[in-house]
Amino acid sequence: MNRPAGAVAEVRYAVLPSPIGDLLAGATRDGLCLLEFVETPRSDARPASARDRGDGPAQRVLRQLRSELDGYFSGRRRAFEVPLAMRGTPFQIEVWRELVKIPYGMTRSYAEIARRVGRHKAARAVGQANGRNGIVILVPCHRVVGGDGSLGGYSSGLDRKRYLLDLERRHLPR
């Protein structure tokens, strides 16, 4: 990253369809910085086919993302290789990095994530960081559940969380 201090990387956007709603993706030369479900796409975002024809680094990230999401939703992909450019507080990024370690088709509790980041009594703060995750699916906040196994919350809606967990469980090796 050879940008001057304080320089902001240009973000390229694309709207990607999925079986459970459109996703707004944002990428910079450093990687994916945004992936969220949208009910109404942003006015400055056009469909991926119109935005990612170039060959710049951000466009390559968006093309790779689209391919990997297609594989994920069809059950052929269990891990993502798209580079991530997470944006958040140091604690949030620490939590999100731990979420990425949760295996496909598995879940962890908020308390377990808190223990894994060395903050044993911070389950509620983990829940708040989880809710601020700006890169859904790839940073799998849908894999975090309550201590009793209940789904808990999900900023994109419990129906989507349930769908993602069921999708992954269906495609686990038997």
Side-chain angles (χ1 to χ4, degrees):
M1 193 179 342
N2 293 332
R3 280 191 301 279
V8 177
E10 180 180 2
V11 179
R12 297 286 182 178
Y13 294 99
V15 176
L16 307 173
S18 89
I20 51 177
D22 287 343
L23 289 155
L24 176 63
T28 68
R29 70 177 55 228
D30 301 321
L32 186 70
C33 62
L34 175 70
L35 186 64
E36 64 183 23
F37 287 101
V38 291
E39 305 309 321
T40 306
R42 291 169 40 143
S43 61
D44 64 343
R46 289 180 278 181
S49 60
R51 288 291 284 215
D52 68 354
R53 288 192 184 135
D55 200 30
Q59 290 90 345
R60 286 192 293 273
V61 169
L62 292 172
R63 280 195 301 274
Q64 180 181 354
L65 173 65
R66 182 172 42 199
S67 173
E68 291 186 12
L69 283 173
D70 287 347
Y72 172 81
F73 281 112
S74 69
R76 296 183 324 269
R77 176 173 287 278
R78 294 191 180 129
F80 295 95
E81 298 172 12
V82 172
L84 302 179
M86 298 178 195
R87 295 178 175 178
T89 67
F91 177 73
Q92 289 169 337
I93 291 171
E94 183 178 21
V95 168
W96 300 335
R97 286 185 177 146
E98 193 60 40
L99 299 183
V100 171
K101 297 176 187 175
I102 302 172
Y104 179 93
M106 307 300 288
T107 59
R108 300 285 184 266
S109 71
Y110 296 99
E112 186 173 348
I113 299 297
R115 283 191 300 276
R116 289 176 182 248
V117 298
R119 310 263 177 98
H120 300 279
K121 298 185 186 253
R124 198 169 268 143
V126 165
Q128 291 172 341
N130 213 37
R132 303 286 297 179
N133 173 25
I135 305 176
V136 299
I137 303 172
L138 279 70
V139 177
C141 52
H142 63 278
R143 296 180 188 156
V144 183
V145 298
D148 61 358
S150 63
L151 290 185
Y154 188 58
S155 62
S156 299
L158 288 179
D159 288 342
R160 286 183 174 132
K161 182 172 186 166
R162 192 173 295 110
Y163 178 94
L164 295 170
L165 291 172
D166 289 345
L167 169 82
E168 293 179 8
R169 288 182 184 128
R170 274 195 318 270
H171 294 288
L172 282 174
R174 295 180 189 245

